[in-house]
Amino acid sequence: MSQASPPAELRRRSILKGALTGAVVLSVGALLEACGAQPSGSTRSVDSGGQASAGQDTHKEIPLLRVSLPGSLSSLYPGQESGILNYYVANIAMEGLVGVDGEGRLVPALASAVTRTDDRTYVYTLREGALFHDGSPVTVEDVLYSITMAADSTVSPSTASYWADLASAEKTGANEITLVSKSGGVAFAWLPASADALWIAPKSFWQSTGGKVGTTSTLFTGTGPYQVTAFKPDSYIEFSRNPHWWGAAPKAAKLRIDFIPDDSTRRLAWQSGEADVSLNVPLAAAKQWEGVSGTRVVYTPDRSYAGLTFNTSVAPFDDPHVRRAVAHAIDRAAIVKEVLHGHGQVATALSTPEQFGGLWTPEQATAKLATVPQHEYSLDRARAELAQSKVPGGFTADLSYPSTGPHLGTAALAFAADLKKIGITLNVKELAVEQWIAELNTFPGLAFFWYFNTTGDPGELVSWLFGAENPAKYSGARAAELVGQAATTGDPAARAELLLQAQQAQAADAAYAPLWWGQSALALRDTVGISGYTSYTLVSPWPTQIYAAV
């Protein structure tokens, strides 16, 4: 996260498929526009399988909406387990002071207005009449205690470090909270969002559970549109509609999410009619899903980044010639075409195009990011780089990928064939996701990096990968200097340019080899529709956008 020093360990979210001077009161949406919002209609939605909103809204209630996920959860709380699927689930029941809309703009959640009195100070007015699931009123004390829990490394080990930029959090009025940033950076505006690092629960709930929330015995008590009624880790979770929610009542009265990590099993369950919606359908099998009667599959950029990370402190990857040789031997365009079936984009940088909302459209961002120096596919150049390295005769290396990302393995086998031609033998192996995470935390010489951005902050990933505890052990002074400048600037446009320059500065060192920016595939029955499906939908209270269709 760009809001703080990144965590030392790789977190589940990074690899799982696992922030105006002058005292002006703004709506939350207007605040983000001042901080770099995404203009309406600028998010690309690729929809080769049919319209997400296909089918007329019947305005009827859905008694039970059944959803399948391509992984499993042992905790519902992203502060404890920050996989992207945890975010998808937590946003159904929990809210922050602000949320994110389908265009990547910060919007009201439990705060109805924000005053930014200077570069460092944000004053939040709580939504009048907001209630928790149990009917108790939301108070300033509840919010402040939730922030304390979010910043506690024991209670929230996966996200506590994001709060390092928080200088203070105080009650400044009967219904008012003031947060002060240490840096004055633009990214601070995202911190109290449920798509980032804040999930608000009653102070009494935190205290009664000892901070251990999101377990089978401590189901969420939040303010979202649905309340958790049952949770069996690694199996399923059930919700019922929250009658106290401040927003419009969602169409589905109840919701059940089944965790089905095995893709074949999930498709068979779909064919048997056991789900109405399936998230993150594997791209390699999307055509098979599209072929199931009464099914449509829709696609949208998911702001994910896939690439290789070289541990620059481990031989032979401590040699930049070796790193460049590997980068030149990867045909990224072929991978996007053949492995992703065109549902992706060649990554020219670490930031994704959809992360620059309000500053550049995704098309403009794509052009800007293409100015980062590239290691184009060329086996001749790869051989030349290897010849200048400390291992001109080649070498053998291992590369693992998670069972939750089979397309990573297919891609690895594809470029392993080309690496073989220049004298590099790549041993590709599949690991269970938890085993793979454990291996990544040992910082191997060569590793896949698979990250799903949840915010609209262009520095979310970059500041980690160029930070002090980055997974490449990279010490590029110029890149780190530029990211440091970006972290403290209050000008969104200047910040974006600094982040771009940092990526340009790193390119020659090739500590990272970007491969692709991904898309996600969503399967829907003809009996349901989803309105406004975009890149940001699933990190918002997305079930509220689903309706019964005819």
Side-chain angles (χ1 to χ4, degrees), residues 395-456:
F395 60 91
T396 298
D398 296 330
L399 179 63
S400 300
Y401 68 94
S403 56
T404 50
H407 61 299
L408 296 177
T410 304
L413 291 173
F415 58 73
D418 276 335
L419 286 169
K420 188 73 172 178
K421 297 173 184 176
I422 67 170
I424 298 175
T425 299
L426 195 62
N427 297 321
V428 179
K429 58 180 179 178
E430 178 185 274
L431 296 177
V433 64
E434 295 298 343
Q435 186 181 357
W436 183 61
I437 293 170
E439 181 182 274
L440 290 182
N441 282 317
T442 69
F443 299 95
L446 180 64
F448 263 121
F449 198 93
W450 192 20
Y451 188 91
F452 288 75
N453 293 279
T454 61
T455 74

Side-chain angles (χ1 to χ4, degrees), residues 168 186 206 235 247 260 274 282 297 312 318 325 328 334 399 424 484 499-500:
S168 64
V186 175
W206 288 108
S235 183
I260 311 178
E274 296 175 17
V297 178
T312 59
D318 56 344
H328 277 303
L399 179 63
I424 298 175
L499 292 169
L500 178 62

Side-chain angles (χ1 to χ4, degrees), residues 348-541:
T348 57
L350 305 173
S351 298
T352 70
E354 286 72 26
Q355 296 295 107
F356 292 87
L359 300 170
W360 309 323
T361 66
E363 292 74 21
Q364 291 170 331
T366 296
K368 289 269 193 178
L369 294 169
T371 65
V372 174
Q374 301 296 300
H375 295 93
E376 70 276 7
Y377 175 60
S378 171
L379 293 183
D380 288 339
R381 294 194 66 175
R383 290 187 185 96
E385 288 286 352
L386 192 62
Q388 298 176 68
S389 75
K390 294 183 290 188
V391 285
F395 60 91
T396 298
D398 296 330
L399 179 63
S400 300
Y401 68 94
S403 56
T404 50
H407 61 299
L408 296 177
T410 304
L413 291 173
F415 58 73
D418 276 335
L419 286 169
K420 188 73 172 178
K421 297 173 184 176
I422 67 170
I424 298 175
T425 299
L426 195 62
N427 297 321
V428 179
K429 58 180 179 178
E430 178 185 274
L431 296 177
V433 64
E434 295 298 343
Q435 186 181 357
W436 183 61
I437 293 170
E439 181 182 274
L440 290 182
N441 282 317
T442 69
F443 299 95
L446 180 64
F448 263 121
F449 198 93
W450 192 20
Y451 188 91
F452 288 75
N453 293 279
T454 61
T455 74
D457 173 16
E460 179 176 332
L461 177 57
V462 177
S463 61
W464 177 5
L465 297 189
F466 295 163
E469 298 181 0
N470 68 78
K473 305 294 184 180
Y474 176 59
S475 57
R478 181 56 179 161
E481 177 188 4
L482 289 163
V483 166
Q485 293 175 19
T488 58
T489 183
D491 182 341
R495 179 172 180 266
E497 291 290 349
L498 287 168
L499 292 169
L500 178 62
Q501 292 170 27
Q503 294 176 80
Q504 293 168 338
Q506 182 274 153
D509 296 330
Y512 303 99
L515 297 177
W516 66 81
W517 298 311
Q519 291 182 6
S520 64
L522 176 75
L524 299 163
R525 295 286 177 198
D526 286 344
T527 54
V528 296
I530 183 168
S531 59
Y533 179 58
T534 73
S535 175
Y536 288 90
T537 295
L538 295 178
V539 289
S540 70

